[in-house]
Short mmCIF file of all heavy atoms in Angstrom, two decimals:
data_model
loop_
_atom_site.label_atom_id
_atom_site.label_comp_id
_atom_site.label_asym_id
_atom_site.label_seq_id
_atom_site.Cartn_x
_atom_site.Cartn_y
_atom_site.Cartn_z
N MET S 1301 26.12 -42.55 -20.00
CA MET S 1301 26.51 -42.22 -18.63
C MET S 1301 25.59 -41.13 -18.09
O MET S 1301 25.17 -40.25 -18.82
CB MET S 1301 27.96 -41.75 -18.59
CG MET S 1301 28.97 -42.83 -18.92
SD MET S 1301 30.65 -42.30 -18.58
CE MET S 1301 30.62 -42.29 -16.82
N PRO S 1302 25.29 -41.14 -16.80
CA PRO S 1302 24.35 -40.17 -16.26
C PRO S 1302 24.88 -38.74 -16.19
O PRO S 1302 24.12 -37.80 -16.10
CB PRO S 1302 24.07 -40.70 -14.86
CG PRO S 1302 25.19 -41.59 -14.54
CD PRO S 1302 25.71 -42.12 -15.84
N HIS S 1303 26.19 -38.55 -16.23
CA HIS S 1303 26.75 -37.20 -16.09
C HIS S 1303 27.56 -36.82 -17.32
O HIS S 1303 28.64 -36.26 -17.22
CB HIS S 1303 27.62 -37.12 -14.84
CG HIS S 1303 26.86 -37.36 -13.57
ND1 HIS S 1303 25.94 -36.48 -13.08
CD2 HIS S 1303 26.87 -38.40 -12.72
CE1 HIS S 1303 25.41 -36.95 -11.96
NE2 HIS S 1303 25.95 -38.13 -11.72
N ASP S 1304 27.03 -37.09 -18.51
CA ASP S 1304 27.73 -36.72 -19.74
C ASP S 1304 27.83 -35.21 -19.90
O ASP S 1304 28.69 -34.73 -20.62
CB ASP S 1304 27.03 -37.31 -20.95
CG ASP S 1304 27.27 -38.80 -21.09
OD1 ASP S 1304 28.29 -39.28 -20.54
OD2 ASP S 1304 26.46 -39.47 -21.73
N ASN S 1305 26.98 -34.44 -19.23
CA ASN S 1305 26.99 -32.99 -19.35
C ASN S 1305 28.05 -32.33 -18.48
O ASN S 1305 28.24 -31.12 -18.56
CB ASN S 1305 25.62 -32.41 -18.99
CG ASN S 1305 25.25 -32.66 -17.53
OD1 ASN S 1305 25.60 -33.69 -16.96
ND2 ASN S 1305 24.54 -31.73 -16.94
N VAL S 1306 28.77 -33.08 -17.64
CA VAL S 1306 29.75 -32.51 -16.71
C VAL S 1306 31.13 -32.49 -17.36
O VAL S 1306 31.71 -33.54 -17.61
CB VAL S 1306 29.81 -33.31 -15.39
CG1 VAL S 1306 30.86 -32.74 -14.47
CG2 VAL S 1306 28.46 -33.32 -14.72
N PRO S 1307 31.67 -31.30 -17.66
CA PRO S 1307 33.02 -31.24 -18.19
C PRO S 1307 34.05 -31.56 -17.10
O PRO S 1307 33.95 -31.06 -15.99
CB PRO S 1307 33.16 -29.80 -18.69
CG PRO S 1307 32.11 -29.03 -17.97
CD PRO S 1307 31.04 -29.99 -17.57
N ILE S 1308 35.01 -32.39 -17.42
CA ILE S 1308 36.03 -32.84 -16.47
C ILE S 1308 37.39 -32.31 -16.89
O ILE S 1308 37.70 -32.22 -18.07
CB ILE S 1308 36.07 -34.39 -16.42
CG1 ILE S 1308 34.71 -34.96 -16.04
CG2 ILE S 1308 37.14 -34.90 -15.50
CD1 ILE S 1308 34.28 -34.68 -14.63
N ALA S 1309 38.22 -31.96 -15.91
CA ALA S 1309 39.57 -31.47 -16.17
C ALA S 1309 40.46 -31.84 -14.99
O ALA S 1309 39.98 -32.31 -13.97
CB ALA S 1309 39.56 -29.96 -16.37
N LEU S 1310 41.75 -31.59 -15.13
CA LEU S 1310 42.68 -31.76 -14.02
C LEU S 1310 42.68 -30.49 -13.19
O LEU S 1310 42.79 -29.38 -13.72
CB LEU S 1310 44.09 -32.03 -14.52
CG LEU S 1310 44.35 -33.42 -15.09
CD1 LEU S 1310 45.77 -33.50 -15.64
CD2 LEU S 1310 44.14 -34.48 -14.04
N SER S 1311 42.55 -30.64 -11.88
CA SER S 1311 42.58 -29.48 -10.99
C SER S 1311 44.02 -29.00 -10.82
O SER S 1311 44.96 -29.62 -11.30
CB SER S 1311 41.98 -29.84 -9.63
OG SER S 1311 42.83 -30.73 -8.95
N ARG S 1312 44.18 -27.91 -10.09
CA ARG S 1312 45.52 -27.36 -9.84
C ARG S 1312 46.40 -28.35 -9.09
O ARG S 1312 47.61 -28.36 -9.24
CB ARG S 1312 45.42 -26.05 -9.07
CG ARG S 1312 44.73 -24.95 -9.85
CD ARG S 1312 44.53 -23.69 -9.01
NE ARG S 1312 43.82 -23.91 -7.75
CZ ARG S 1312 42.49 -24.02 -7.64
NH1 ARG S 1312 41.74 -23.94 -8.70
NH2 ARG S 1312 41.94 -24.20 -6.47
N SER S 1313 45.77 -29.22 -8.30
CA SER S 1313 46.53 -30.19 -7.52
C SER S 1313 46.81 -31.48 -8.30
O SER S 1313 47.43 -32.39 -7.78
CB SER S 1313 45.78 -30.52 -6.23
OG SER S 1313 44.56 -31.17 -6.53
N GLY S 1314 46.33 -31.56 -9.53
CA GLY S 1314 46.56 -32.73 -10.37
C GLY S 1314 45.48 -33.79 -10.25
O GLY S 1314 45.58 -34.84 -10.86
N GLU S 1315 44.43 -33.52 -9.47
CA GLU S 1315 43.32 -34.46 -9.34
C GLU S 1315 42.29 -34.20 -10.43
O GLU S 1315 42.13 -33.07 -10.89
CB GLU S 1315 42.63 -34.30 -7.98
CG GLU S 1315 43.50 -34.62 -6.80
CD GLU S 1315 42.77 -34.38 -5.49
OE1 GLU S 1315 41.65 -34.92 -5.35
OE2 GLU S 1315 43.30 -33.65 -4.66
N ILE S 1316 41.60 -35.24 -10.82
CA ILE S 1316 40.52 -35.08 -11.80
C ILE S 1316 39.32 -34.48 -11.09
O ILE S 1316 39.04 -34.81 -9.94
CB ILE S 1316 40.19 -36.43 -12.44
CG1 ILE S 1316 40.64 -36.41 -13.86
CG2 ILE S 1316 38.77 -36.81 -12.32
CD1 ILE S 1316 40.35 -37.68 -14.60
N GLY S 1317 38.61 -33.57 -11.76
CA GLY S 1317 37.44 -32.96 -11.15
C GLY S 1317 36.65 -32.18 -12.16
O GLY S 1317 37.04 -32.04 -13.32
N PRO S 1318 35.53 -31.62 -11.75
CA PRO S 1318 34.66 -30.89 -12.67
C PRO S 1318 35.12 -29.44 -12.86
O PRO S 1318 35.91 -28.92 -12.10
CB PRO S 1318 33.32 -30.92 -11.95
CG PRO S 1318 33.68 -30.90 -10.51
CD PRO S 1318 34.94 -31.74 -10.42
N LEU S 1319 34.59 -28.85 -13.91
CA LEU S 1319 34.75 -27.41 -14.12
C LEU S 1319 33.49 -26.72 -13.62
O LEU S 1319 32.39 -27.26 -13.73
CB LEU S 1319 34.91 -27.11 -15.62
CG LEU S 1319 36.15 -27.63 -16.30
CD1 LEU S 1319 36.06 -27.37 -17.80
CD2 LEU S 1319 37.39 -27.00 -15.73
N CYS S 1320 33.64 -25.53 -13.06
CA CYS S 1320 32.48 -24.75 -12.65
C CYS S 1320 31.62 -24.47 -13.88
O CYS S 1320 32.14 -24.08 -14.93
CB CYS S 1320 32.92 -23.44 -12.00
SG CYS S 1320 31.53 -22.35 -11.57
N ASN S 1321 30.34 -24.70 -13.76
CA ASN S 1321 29.43 -24.52 -14.88
C ASN S 1321 29.32 -23.06 -15.31
O ASN S 1321 28.96 -22.78 -16.44
CB ASN S 1321 28.05 -25.05 -14.50
CG ASN S 1321 27.15 -25.22 -15.70
OD1 ASN S 1321 27.55 -25.84 -16.68
ND2 ASN S 1321 25.96 -24.66 -15.63
N VAL S 1322 29.66 -22.12 -14.43
CA VAL S 1322 29.53 -20.70 -14.74
C VAL S 1322 30.85 -20.10 -15.24
O VAL S 1322 30.90 -19.49 -16.30
CB VAL S 1322 29.03 -19.92 -13.50
CG1 VAL S 1322 28.95 -18.43 -13.77
CG2 VAL S 1322 27.69 -20.46 -13.05
N CYS S 1323 31.94 -20.31 -14.48
CA CYS S 1323 33.20 -19.62 -14.81
C CYS S 1323 34.31 -20.56 -15.31
O CYS S 1323 35.41 -20.11 -15.59
CB CYS S 1323 33.71 -18.85 -13.59
SG CYS S 1323 34.17 -19.90 -12.20
N ASN S 1324 34.03 -21.86 -15.40
CA ASN S 1324 35.00 -22.85 -15.87
C ASN S 1324 36.23 -22.99 -14.99
O ASN S 1324 37.29 -23.39 -15.45
CB ASN S 1324 35.42 -22.59 -17.32
CG ASN S 1324 34.31 -22.89 -18.29
OD1 ASN S 1324 33.52 -23.80 -18.08
ND2 ASN S 1324 34.22 -22.11 -19.35
N LYS S 1325 36.11 -22.66 -13.71
CA LYS S 1325 37.21 -22.84 -12.77
C LYS S 1325 37.44 -24.34 -12.57
O LYS S 1325 36.49 -25.10 -12.40
CB LYS S 1325 36.85 -22.19 -11.43
CG LYS S 1325 37.89 -22.39 -10.35
CD LYS S 1325 37.44 -21.75 -9.05
CE LYS S 1325 38.42 -22.04 -7.94
NZ LYS S 1325 37.97 -21.47 -6.67
N ARG S 1326 38.70 -24.76 -12.61
CA ARG S 1326 39.04 -26.16 -12.38
C ARG S 1326 39.00 -26.45 -10.89
O ARG S 1326 39.59 -25.73 -10.09
CB ARG S 1326 40.44 -26.47 -12.92
CG ARG S 1326 40.54 -26.29 -14.41
CD ARG S 1326 41.94 -26.56 -14.91
NE ARG S 1326 42.85 -25.59 -14.30
CZ ARG S 1326 44.17 -25.69 -14.34
NH1 ARG S 1326 44.74 -26.70 -14.92
NH2 ARG S 1326 44.92 -24.78 -13.78
N MET S 1327 38.28 -27.53 -10.49
CA MET S 1327 38.11 -27.87 -9.08
C MET S 1327 38.29 -29.37 -8.90
O MET S 1327 38.24 -30.12 -9.86
CB MET S 1327 36.70 -27.50 -8.62
CG MET S 1327 36.30 -26.08 -8.84
SD MET S 1327 34.56 -25.80 -8.42
CE MET S 1327 33.74 -26.58 -9.78
N THR S 1328 38.48 -29.79 -7.66
CA THR S 1328 38.38 -31.20 -7.33
C THR S 1328 36.91 -31.46 -7.00
O THR S 1328 36.14 -30.53 -6.74
CB THR S 1328 39.25 -31.57 -6.12
OG1 THR S 1328 38.76 -30.87 -4.97
CG2 THR S 1328 40.71 -31.23 -6.34
N PHE S 1329 36.51 -32.73 -6.98
CA PHE S 1329 35.14 -33.04 -6.60
C PHE S 1329 34.87 -32.64 -5.16
O PHE S 1329 33.77 -32.25 -4.81
CB PHE S 1329 34.84 -34.52 -6.82
CG PHE S 1329 34.55 -34.85 -8.25
CD1 PHE S 1329 35.51 -35.47 -9.04
CD2 PHE S 1329 33.33 -34.53 -8.82
CE1 PHE S 1329 35.24 -35.76 -10.36
CE2 PHE S 1329 33.06 -34.82 -10.15
CZ PHE S 1329 34.02 -35.44 -10.92
N GLY S 1330 35.91 -32.68 -4.32
CA GLY S 1330 35.74 -32.32 -2.91
C GLY S 1330 35.47 -30.86 -2.68
O GLY S 1330 34.79 -30.48 -1.74
N GLU S 1331 36.00 -29.97 -3.52
CA GLU S 1331 35.78 -28.55 -3.32
C GLU S 1331 34.63 -27.99 -4.15
O GLU S 1331 34.24 -26.85 -3.99
CB GLU S 1331 37.06 -27.75 -3.60
CG GLU S 1331 37.50 -27.77 -5.04
CD GLU S 1331 38.85 -27.10 -5.26
OE1 GLU S 1331 39.37 -26.43 -4.36
OE2 GLU S 1331 39.39 -27.27 -6.36
N SER S 1332 34.05 -28.80 -5.02
CA SER S 1332 32.95 -28.34 -5.85
C SER S 1332 31.62 -28.50 -5.12
O SER S 1332 31.48 -29.30 -4.21
CB SER S 1332 32.92 -29.12 -7.16
OG SER S 1332 32.68 -30.49 -6.92
N MET S 1333 30.65 -27.72 -5.51
CA MET S 1333 29.31 -27.77 -4.94
C MET S 1333 28.35 -28.18 -6.05
O MET S 1333 28.47 -27.71 -7.18
CB MET S 1333 28.90 -26.39 -4.39
CG MET S 1333 29.86 -25.84 -3.35
SD MET S 1333 30.03 -26.84 -1.89
CE MET S 1333 28.44 -26.63 -1.15
N PHE S 1334 27.40 -29.05 -5.74
CA PHE S 1334 26.46 -29.55 -6.74
C PHE S 1334 25.11 -28.89 -6.54
O PHE S 1334 24.55 -28.91 -5.44
CB PHE S 1334 26.34 -31.07 -6.60
CG PHE S 1334 25.65 -31.72 -7.76
CD1 PHE S 1334 26.31 -31.87 -8.96
CD2 PHE S 1334 24.36 -32.18 -7.64
CE1 PHE S 1334 25.69 -32.48 -10.05
CE2 PHE S 1334 23.72 -32.79 -8.71
CZ PHE S 1334 24.40 -32.93 -9.91
N HIS S 1335 24.58 -28.27 -7.61
CA HIS S 1335 23.30 -27.56 -7.52
C HIS S 1335 22.59 -27.65 -8.86
O HIS S 1335 23.16 -27.28 -9.90
CB HIS S 1335 23.53 -26.10 -7.13
CG HIS S 1335 22.29 -25.29 -7.05
ND1 HIS S 1335 21.31 -25.50 -6.10
CD2 HIS S 1335 21.84 -24.26 -7.81
CE1 HIS S 1335 20.34 -24.63 -6.27
NE2 HIS S 1335 20.64 -23.86 -7.30
N ASN S 1336 21.36 -28.14 -8.87
CA ASN S 1336 20.54 -28.24 -10.09
C ASN S 1336 21.29 -28.94 -11.23
O ASN S 1336 21.35 -28.44 -12.35
CB ASN S 1336 20.06 -26.86 -10.55
CG ASN S 1336 18.99 -26.29 -9.66
OD1 ASN S 1336 18.36 -27.00 -8.90
ND2 ASN S 1336 18.80 -24.99 -9.72
N GLU S 1337 21.88 -30.08 -10.93
CA GLU S 1337 22.59 -30.92 -11.90
C GLU S 1337 23.83 -30.25 -12.48
O GLU S 1337 24.29 -30.61 -13.55
CB GLU S 1337 21.65 -31.35 -13.03
CG GLU S 1337 20.48 -32.18 -12.55
CD GLU S 1337 19.59 -32.66 -13.66
OE1 GLU S 1337 19.94 -32.50 -14.84
OE2 GLU S 1337 18.52 -33.20 -13.34
N ASN S 1338 24.38 -29.26 -11.79
CA ASN S 1338 25.61 -28.59 -12.23
C ASN S 1338 26.58 -28.50 -11.08
O ASN S 1338 26.20 -28.34 -9.93
CB ASN S 1338 25.29 -27.16 -12.73
CG ASN S 1338 24.44 -27.17 -13.96
OD1 ASN S 1338 24.77 -27.80 -14.95
ND2 ASN S 1338 23.31 -26.48 -13.90
N TYR S 1339 27.87 -28.56 -11.41
CA TYR S 1339 28.92 -28.33 -10.43
C TYR S 1339 29.29 -26.86 -10.46
O TYR S 1339 29.49 -26.28 -11.53
CB TYR S 1339 30.15 -29.18 -10.73
CG TYR S 1339 29.96 -30.64 -10.40
CD1 TYR S 1339 29.56 -31.55 -11.36
CD2 TYR S 1339 30.17 -31.10 -9.11
CE1 TYR S 1339 29.37 -32.88 -11.06
CE2 TYR S 1339 29.99 -32.43 -8.78
CZ TYR S 1339 29.58 -33.32 -9.77
OH TYR S 1339 29.41 -34.63 -9.45
N LEU S 1340 29.36 -26.25 -9.28
CA LEU S 1340 29.66 -24.83 -9.17
C LEU S 1340 30.81 -24.62 -8.18
O LEU S 1340 30.94 -25.37 -7.21
CB LEU S 1340 28.44 -24.05 -8.66
CG LEU S 1340 27.17 -24.14 -9.49
CD1 LEU S 1340 26.02 -23.47 -8.76
CD2 LEU S 1340 27.36 -23.54 -10.86
N CYS S 1341 31.60 -23.56 -8.40
CA CYS S 1341 32.59 -23.17 -7.41
C CYS S 1341 31.83 -22.50 -6.26
O CYS S 1341 30.65 -22.18 -6.38
CB CYS S 1341 33.63 -22.23 -8.02
SG CYS S 1341 32.99 -20.64 -8.58
N TRP S 1342 32.49 -22.31 -5.13
CA TRP S 1342 31.82 -21.78 -3.94
C TRP S 1342 31.20 -20.41 -4.20
O TRP S 1342 30.09 -20.11 -3.77
CB TRP S 1342 32.79 -21.73 -2.77
CG TRP S 1342 32.20 -21.13 -1.53
CD1 TRP S 1342 32.60 -19.98 -0.92
CD2 TRP S 1342 31.09 -21.62 -0.76
NE1 TRP S 1342 31.81 -19.73 0.19
CE2 TRP S 1342 30.87 -20.73 0.30
CE3 TRP S 1342 30.26 -22.72 -0.88
CZ2 TRP S 1342 29.87 -20.89 1.24
CZ3 TRP S 1342 29.26 -22.89 0.07
CH2 TRP S 1342 29.07 -21.98 1.11
N GLU S 1343 31.89 -19.55 -4.92
CA GLU S 1343 31.38 -18.20 -5.17
C GLU S 1343 30.07 -18.24 -5.95
O GLU S 1343 29.11 -17.56 -5.62
CB GLU S 1343 32.42 -17.36 -5.92
CG GLU S 1343 33.64 -17.01 -5.10
CD GLU S 1343 34.64 -18.15 -4.98
OE1 GLU S 1343 34.61 -19.08 -5.82
OE2 GLU S 1343 35.44 -18.12 -4.04
N HIS S 1344 30.02 -19.07 -7.00
CA HIS S 1344 28.80 -19.13 -7.81
C HIS S 1344 27.70 -19.94 -7.12
O HIS S 1344 26.52 -19.69 -7.35
CB HIS S 1344 29.13 -19.69 -9.20
CG HIS S 1344 29.90 -18.71 -10.01
ND1 HIS S 1344 31.21 -18.90 -10.35
CD2 HIS S 1344 29.56 -17.48 -10.48
CE1 HIS S 1344 31.64 -17.86 -11.03
NE2 HIS S 1344 30.65 -16.98 -11.11
N TYR S 1345 28.07 -20.87 -6.25
CA TYR S 1345 27.08 -21.58 -5.44
C TYR S 1345 26.39 -20.61 -4.49
O TYR S 1345 25.18 -20.65 -4.32
CB TYR S 1345 27.75 -22.71 -4.66
CG TYR S 1345 26.79 -23.51 -3.81
CD1 TYR S 1345 25.99 -24.50 -4.38
CD2 TYR S 1345 26.69 -23.28 -2.44
CE1 TYR S 1345 25.10 -25.23 -3.60
CE2 TYR S 1345 25.81 -24.01 -1.66
CZ TYR S 1345 25.02 -25.00 -2.25
OH TYR S 1345 24.13 -25.71 -1.49
N GLN S 1346 27.17 -19.70 -3.90
CA GLN S 1346 26.59 -18.69 -3.01
C GLN S 1346 25.61 -17.80 -3.78
O GLN S 1346 24.54 -17.47 -3.27
CB GLN S 1346 27.69 -17.83 -2.39
CG GLN S 1346 28.48 -18.53 -1.33
CD GLN S 1346 29.58 -17.65 -0.79
OE1 GLN S 1346 30.36 -17.09 -1.55
NE2 GLN S 1346 29.64 -17.54 0.51
N GLU S 1347 25.99 -17.40 -4.99
CA GLU S 1347 25.10 -16.56 -5.79
C GLU S 1347 23.82 -17.30 -6.15
O GLU S 1347 22.73 -16.71 -6.12
CB GLU S 1347 25.81 -16.12 -7.08
CG GLU S 1347 26.91 -15.11 -6.87
CD GLU S 1347 27.64 -14.78 -8.16
OE1 GLU S 1347 27.16 -15.18 -9.25
OE2 GLU S 1347 28.69 -14.14 -8.08
N ALA S 1348 23.94 -18.59 -6.48
CA ALA S 1348 22.78 -19.36 -6.92
C ALA S 1348 21.83 -19.70 -5.79
O ALA S 1348 20.61 -19.75 -5.98
CB ALA S 1348 23.23 -20.64 -7.61
N THR S 1349 22.36 -19.90 -4.59
CA THR S 1349 21.52 -20.38 -3.48
C THR S 1349 21.35 -19.39 -2.35
O THR S 1349 20.47 -19.57 -1.51
CB THR S 1349 22.12 -21.67 -2.88
OG1 THR S 1349 23.40 -21.36 -2.31
CG2 THR S 1349 22.25 -22.76 -3.92
N GLY S 1350 22.19 -18.38 -2.27
CA GLY S 1350 22.14 -17.45 -1.15
C GLY S 1350 22.82 -17.99 0.08
O GLY S 1350 22.71 -17.42 1.16
N ALA S 1351 23.53 -19.11 -0.03
CA ALA S 1351 24.23 -19.73 1.09
C ALA S 1351 25.41 -18.87 1.53
O ALA S 1351 25.93 -18.06 0.77
CB ALA S 1351 24.73 -21.11 0.71
N SER S 1352 25.83 -19.06 2.77
CA SER S 1352 27.03 -18.38 3.26
C SER S 1352 27.74 -19.31 4.23
O SER S 1352 27.17 -20.30 4.69
CB SER S 1352 26.67 -17.07 3.95
OG SER S 1352 25.88 -17.31 5.08
N SER S 1353 28.96 -18.99 4.54
CA SER S 1353 29.75 -19.80 5.44
C SER S 1353 29.29 -19.58 6.88
O SER S 1353 28.99 -18.45 7.28
CB SER S 1353 31.22 -19.44 5.31
OG SER S 1353 31.99 -20.15 6.25
N ILE S 1354 29.25 -20.63 7.66
CA ILE S 1354 28.86 -20.51 9.05
C ILE S 1354 30.08 -20.28 9.94
O ILE S 1354 29.96 -19.86 11.09
CB ILE S 1354 28.07 -21.74 9.52
CG1 ILE S 1354 27.33 -21.44 10.81
CG2 ILE S 1354 28.96 -22.94 9.67
CD1 ILE S 1354 26.26 -22.43 11.16
N THR S 1355 31.27 -20.53 9.42
CA THR S 1355 32.48 -20.35 10.22
C THR S 1355 32.90 -18.90 10.22
O THR S 1355 32.63 -18.14 9.28
CB THR S 1355 33.63 -21.22 9.69
OG1 THR S 1355 33.87 -20.87 8.33
CG2 THR S 1355 33.29 -22.69 9.79
N ASP S 1356 33.58 -18.50 11.27
CA ASP S 1356 34.06 -17.13 11.42
C ASP S 1356 35.55 -17.11 11.11
O ASP S 1356 36.31 -17.92 11.64
CB ASP S 1356 33.80 -16.66 12.85
CG ASP S 1356 34.02 -15.18 13.03
OD1 ASP S 1356 34.26 -14.48 12.01
OD2 ASP S 1356 33.94 -14.71 14.17
N ASP S 1357 35.97 -16.19 10.26
CA ASP S 1357 37.36 -16.12 9.84
C ASP S 1357 38.21 -15.17 10.68
O ASP S 1357 39.32 -14.84 10.32
CB ASP S 1357 37.46 -15.69 8.38
CG ASP S 1357 36.96 -16.76 7.44
OD1 ASP S 1357 36.95 -17.93 7.83
OD2 ASP S 1357 36.58 -16.40 6.31
N GLU S 1358 37.70 -14.70 11.80
CA GLU S 1358 38.45 -13.74 12.60
C GLU S 1358 39.71 -14.39 13.18
O GLU S 1358 39.74 -15.59 13.48
CB GLU S 1358 37.59 -13.17 13.72
CG GLU S 1358 37.33 -14.12 14.86
CD GLU S 1358 36.47 -13.52 15.95
OE1 GLU S 1358 35.53 -12.78 15.62
OE2 GLU S 1358 36.76 -13.79 17.11
N GLU S 1359 40.72 -13.61 13.30
CA GLU S 1359 41.99 -14.09 13.85
C GLU S 1359 41.91 -14.14 15.37
O GLU S 1359 41.35 -13.24 16.00
CB GLU S 1359 43.13 -13.15 13.45
CG GLU S 1359 43.44 -13.17 11.97
CD GLU S 1359 44.09 -14.48 11.55
OE1 GLU S 1359 44.90 -15.03 12.33
OE2 GLU S 1359 43.76 -14.95 10.46
N LEU S 1360 42.43 -15.19 15.96
CA LEU S 1360 42.47 -15.29 17.41
C LEU S 1360 43.65 -14.49 17.94
O LEU S 1360 44.73 -14.49 17.36
CB LEU S 1360 42.60 -16.75 17.83
CG LEU S 1360 41.46 -17.67 17.44
CD1 LEU S 1360 41.79 -19.09 17.83
CD2 LEU S 1360 40.17 -17.22 18.12
N GLU S 1361 43.45 -13.78 19.04
CA GLU S 1361 44.52 -13.01 19.63
C GLU S 1361 45.56 -13.90 20.28
O GLU S 1361 46.75 -13.61 20.27
CB GLU S 1361 43.96 -12.02 20.64
CG GLU S 1361 43.10 -10.94 20.01
CD GLU S 1361 42.55 -9.99 21.05
OE1 GLU S 1361 43.05 -9.97 22.19
OE2 GLU S 1361 41.60 -9.27 20.72
N LYS S 1362 45.12 -14.99 20.87
CA LYS S 1362 46.02 -15.93 21.54
C LYS S 1362 45.80 -17.32 20.96
O LYS S 1362 44.69 -17.63 20.54
CB LYS S 1362 45.73 -15.96 23.04
CG LYS S 1362 45.96 -14.65 23.74
CD LYS S 1362 45.61 -14.77 25.21
CE LYS S 1362 45.78 -13.43 25.91
NZ LYS S 1362 45.40 -13.49 27.30
N PRO S 1363 46.81 -18.14 20.94
CA PRO S 1363 46.60 -19.50 20.46
C PRO S 1363 45.67 -20.25 21.41
O PRO S 1363 45.57 -19.93 22.59
CB PRO S 1363 47.99 -20.11 20.46
CG PRO S 1363 48.84 -19.22 21.29
CD PRO S 1363 48.18 -17.89 21.31
N PHE S 1364 44.96 -21.24 20.90
CA PHE S 1364 44.03 -22.00 21.72
C PHE S 1364 44.74 -22.98 22.64
O PHE S 1364 44.12 -23.55 23.53
CB PHE S 1364 43.02 -22.74 20.83
CG PHE S 1364 43.64 -23.83 20.00
CD1 PHE S 1364 43.72 -25.11 20.48
CD2 PHE S 1364 44.15 -23.53 18.74
CE1 PHE S 1364 44.27 -26.12 19.71
CE2 PHE S 1364 44.71 -24.53 17.98
CZ PHE S 1364 44.78 -25.82 18.45
N PHE S 1365 46.03 -23.17 22.45
CA PHE S 1365 46.80 -24.10 23.29
C PHE S 1365 47.79 -23.30 24.13
O PHE S 1365 48.10 -22.16 23.83
CB PHE S 1365 47.53 -25.12 22.43
CG PHE S 1365 48.50 -24.48 21.47
CD1 PHE S 1365 49.82 -24.26 21.82
CD2 PHE S 1365 48.08 -24.08 20.21
CE1 PHE S 1365 50.70 -23.67 20.95
CE2 PHE S 1365 48.98 -23.48 19.33
CZ PHE S 1365 50.29 -23.28 19.70
N LYS S 1366 48.25 -23.89 25.20
CA LYS S 1366 49.26 -23.23 26.03
C LYS S 1366 50.63 -23.73 25.62
O LYS S 1366 50.89 -24.91 25.68
CB LYS S 1366 49.00 -23.52 27.51
CG LYS S 1366 47.73 -22.93 28.00
CD LYS S 1366 47.55 -23.18 29.47
CE LYS S 1366 46.23 -22.54 29.93
NZ LYS S 1366 46.02 -22.72 31.34
N PRO S 1367 51.51 -22.83 25.21
CA PRO S 1367 52.85 -23.25 24.78
C PRO S 1367 53.72 -23.73 25.93
O PRO S 1367 53.51 -23.54 27.06
CB PRO S 1367 53.45 -22.02 24.15
CG PRO S 1367 52.55 -20.89 24.44
CD PRO S 1367 51.30 -21.42 25.06
#
């Protein structure tokens, strides 16, 4: 198989997924990041690549809809 080096486990949600290559965090395939033939959690992906989130986490003062 092409990915025999990828350790697989059940995530917290009960889905099958990879373990982070650095910290062994259990993840789903959807939340894992792939870099240099390894699956990484977001924190270690940021360290490895220097990537950051483009979204802003600031709280909105008013809802975007009119109640």
Side-chain angles (χ1 to χ4, degrees):
M1301 293 190 71
H1303 298 290
D1304 286 337
N1305 64 326
V1306 178
I1308 302 292
L1310 286 176
S1311 69
R1312 295 175 305 280
S1313 65
E1315 297 178 52
I1316 250 181
L1319 294 173
C1320 175
N1321 194 51
V1322 177
C1323 65
N1324 289 326
K1325 177 182 175 182
R1326 297 178 298 168
M1327 305 174 286
T1328 64
F1329 280 103
E1331 67 186 348
S1332 63
M1333 303 299 291
F1334 194 74
H1335 179 67
N1336 288 342
E1337 299 182 9
N1338 295 305
Y1339 286 95
L1340 302 173
C1341 64
W1342 177 244
E1343 291 78 20
H1344 289 112
Y1345 181 80
Q1346 286 178 309
E1347 289 176 11
T1349 64
S1352 63
S1353 176
I1354 196 165
T1355 58
D1356 191 6
D1357 290 337
E1358 74 180 39
E1359 292 290 323
L1360 297 175
E1361 293 179 16
K1362 297 179 182 177
F1364 67 91
F1365 59 91
K1366 294 183 179 181

